[in-house]
């Protein structure tokens, strides 16, 4: 995403118009999720992808038409499996792609948005993709932490979209919002796609052990902001965990409570407890399980350690419902032996939880490969306003 933004900025600086193609809706086994983007430069170069190669050729041609002045278009790709090769979408799914020209004048609105994304700030770019008035297509509203830029064409539409985009940004999810032509709630006629950019989700790994080192590398590769925490300063060093964004020497439960009090723990946060020492993990797990919901919490240890841990946590006041959230022993049964293999089994479990996966080999299942998006959780301070929402998570992170 940053490469796409840098390329677009270079095009504007050179005075050239580029075209941006964005996946806005998907159905069944579409190859890329909503929010996937492909940029076509003024000289015909391509950055990014909307389908992993399936329909890039057709999108590319329409992008060139947009650069030439044809106007924005909402294109649909996808037919039955038997005819999929006719349009190149070989998976047989369906996807809608909004293709628009972005002249240098757009830098006044999109430039600050891209800068905010590069700084790790929660940002949303709302674009009208369907409207009875063709002149409204492509209009943008940028939602920044300090306010909004641009307009969708009316104060009413701007207010509705800004309010709803804030919810999507909080969850790190892109999606389509549907309103009446002037932003009327519960209406139809205007569809607004929100590209939501949230800071990377956090992966908190407690226990500066060799398994933590492997999980740190894998977590960073998956796009998480990894923190390693251990009460022993001699082990909690940046030299031992070069892939972690932060290494902290502190008692785990104290550090977690500090992060919670600072508002730095949210529903996308993954917590992995690898200490398997009751002095550390019981107070920590009591704080995690007894606090606001996180995306995943798992703890390493044998089944005997797990049973003893459950008893201690129950004695600490953790309810049966709260204990049921704990994934312990941690990870999926992959037969893992090495720290690297164990890290894969742990990551596979929290990825599966995020997307509702079963962990069963795909060859044994007869259902769609890509799971439907899980609904936004109740971890937001306010529920989403009653707009019709289709959402999909992007690589800023997992839920």
């Amino acid at each position: 995403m940053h490469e796409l933004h840098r390329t677009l900025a270079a095009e504007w600086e050179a005075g050239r118009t580029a075209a941006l193609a964005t996946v806005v809706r998907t159905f069944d086994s579409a190859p890329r999720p909503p929010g996937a983007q492909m940029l076509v430069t003024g000289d015909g170069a391509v950055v990014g992808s909307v389908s992993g190669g399936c329909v890039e050729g057709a999108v590319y041609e329409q992008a060139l038409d947009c650069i030439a002045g044809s106007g924005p278009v909402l294109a649909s790709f996808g037919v039955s499996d038997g005819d999929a090769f006719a349009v190149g979408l070989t998976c047989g799914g369906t996807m809608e792609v909004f293709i628009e020209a972005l002249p240098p004048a757009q830098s006044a609105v999109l430039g600050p948005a891209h800068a905010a994304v590069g700084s790790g700030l929660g940002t949303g770019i709302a674009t009208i993709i369907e409207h009875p008035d063709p002149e409204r297509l492509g209009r943008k509203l940028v939602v920044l932490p300090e306010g909004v830029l641009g307009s969708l064409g009316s104060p009413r539409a701007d207010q509705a979209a800004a309010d709803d985009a804030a919810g999507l940004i909080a969850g790190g999810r892109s999606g389509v919002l549907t309103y009446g032509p002037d932003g009327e709630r519960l209406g139809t006629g205007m569809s607004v796609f929100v590209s939501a950019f949230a800071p990377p989700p956090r992966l908190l790994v407690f226990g500066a052990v060799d398994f933590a080192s492997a999980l740190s590398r894998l977590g960073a590769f998956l796009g998480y902001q990894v923190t390693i925490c251990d009460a022993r300063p001699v082990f909690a060093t940046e030299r031992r965990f070069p892939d972690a964004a932060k290494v902290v020497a502190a008692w785990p439960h104290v550090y977690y409570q500090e992060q919670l009090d600072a508002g730095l723990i949210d529903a996308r946060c993954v917590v992995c407890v690898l200490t398997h020492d009751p002095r550390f993990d019981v107070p920590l797990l009591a704080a995690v399980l007894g606090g606001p919901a996180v995306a995943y919490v798992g703890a390493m240890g044998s089944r005997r350690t797990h049973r003893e841990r459950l008893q201690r946590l129950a004695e600490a006041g953790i309810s049966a419902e709260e204990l049921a959230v704990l994934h312990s022993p941690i990870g999926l049964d992959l037969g893992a032996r090495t720290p690297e293999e164990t890290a894969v089994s742990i990551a596979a479990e929290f990825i599966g939880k995020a997307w509702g996966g079963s962990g069963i080999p795909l060859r044994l299942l007869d259902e769609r490969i890509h799971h439907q998006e899980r609904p936004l959780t109740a971890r937001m301070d306010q529920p989403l306003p009653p707009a019709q929402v289709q959402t999909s998570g992007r690589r800023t992170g997992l839920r």
Side-chain angles (χ1 to χ4, degrees):
M1 187 60 64
H2 295 311
E3 180 185 0
L4 188 150
H5 292 171
R6 287 193 296 268
T7 302
L8 181 56
E11 289 294 288
W12 287 338
E13 187 174 351
R16 292 191 293 264
T17 294
L20 182 67
T22 304
V23 177
V24 296
R25 294 190 184 99
T26 62
F27 308 93
D28 298 322
S29 296
R32 296 295 305 278
Q37 294 183 321
M38 183 177 83
L39 182 76
V40 178
T41 67
D43 59 1
V46 174
V47 177
S49 171
V50 293
S51 70
C54 296
V55 300
E56 250 76 357
V59 172
Y60 179 79
E61 293 300 325
Q62 290 184 314
L64 293 179
D65 290 342
C66 286
I67 293 175
S70 66
V73 60
L74 181 62
S76 179
F77 301 93
V79 291
S80 65
D81 284 333
D83 297 327
F85 281 100
V87 295
L89 197 61
T90 54
C91 60
T94 301
M95 62 190 297
E96 292 183 350
V97 182
F98 186 71
I99 308 164
E100 59 183 324
L102 296 180
Q106 287 277 21
S107 63
V109 172
L110 293 181
H114 296 168
V117 172
S119 299
L121 300 177
T123 306
I125 302 175
T127 303
I128 296 179
I129 61 172
E130 292 178 302
H131 199 281
D133 180 2
E135 295 298 320
R136 299 274 293 270
L137 292 177
R139 291 204 178 187
K140 298 184 183 299
L141 181 76
V142 172
V143 181
L144 300 169
E146 65 273 17
V148 299
L149 294 173
S151 175
L152 299 180
S154 74
R156 183 177 189 175
D158 293 346
Q159 185 63 60
D163 289 345
D164 293 354
L168 295 177
I169 296 168
R173 295 174 181 261
S174 300
V176 175
L177 304 170
T178 303
Y179 308 97
D182 196 44
E184 302 93 333
R185 295 194 179 280
L186 301 183
T188 59
M190 178 170 69
S191 296
V192 178
F193 181 75
V194 178
S195 292
F197 303 90
R202 300 187 69 188
L203 171 58
L204 302 182
V205 182
F206 294 94
V209 296
D210 50 356
F211 295 101
S213 179
L215 186 57
S216 174
R217 291 195 298 275
L218 183 55
F221 173 75
L222 291 173
Y224 283 86
Q225 183 183 62
V226 181
T227 296
I228 304 291
C229 179
D230 195 295
R232 303 164 298 174
V234 67
F235 294 107
T237 65
E238 294 181 358
R239 182 176 181 178
R240 296 188 66 225
F241 301 97
D243 299 290
K246 183 179 295 185
V247 180
V248 179
W251 278 83
H253 70 286
V254 174
Y255 175 73
Y256 186 82
Q257 190 62 52
E258 290 174 350
Q259 296 296 288
L260 196 60
D261 293 342
L264 300 176
I265 303 295
D266 61 25
R268 301 184 301 146
C269 185
V270 171
V271 178
C272 296
V273 182
L274 309 183
T275 54
H276 52 80
D277 184 329
R279 295 176 301 164
F280 301 121
D281 56 20
V282 171
L284 170 61
L285 288 171
V288 177
L289 298 174
V294 295
Y296 172 91
V297 53
M300 179 173 281
S302 67
R303 299 192 184 280
R304 176 179 177 180
T305 297
H306 171 63
R307 289 192 296 269
E308 294 174 349
R309 182 188 291 135
L310 290 181
Q311 181 177 349
R312 290 188 175 96
L313 288 169
E315 292 171 353
I318 303 302
S319 69
E321 292 77 12
E322 292 167 334
L323 289 174
V325 175
L326 177 61
H327 293 261
S328 178
I330 196 171
L332 297 183
D333 179 18
L334 303 183
R337 291 292 186 271
T338 67
E340 290 74 18
E341 291 172 348
T342 302
V344 170
S345 79
I346 295 171
E349 185 171 50
F350 64 69
I351 291 172
K353 183 178 185 299
W355 294 101
S358 66
I360 298 173
L362 290 172
R363 63 183 176 80
L364 301 180
L365 298 175
D366 186 21
E367 59 185 49
R368 64 186 305 236
I369 293 175
H370 301 290
H371 286 253
Q372 292 286 357
E373 178 62 51
R374 294 169 66 88
L376 294 174
T377 70
R379 285 289 301 118
M380 298 179 189
D381 293 336
Q382 299 292 334
L384 283 176
Q388 300 173 33
V389 182
Q390 295 177 343
T391 66
S392 179
R394 45 168 221 63
R395 175 43 325 235
T396 58
L398 298 168
R399 292 276 292 175

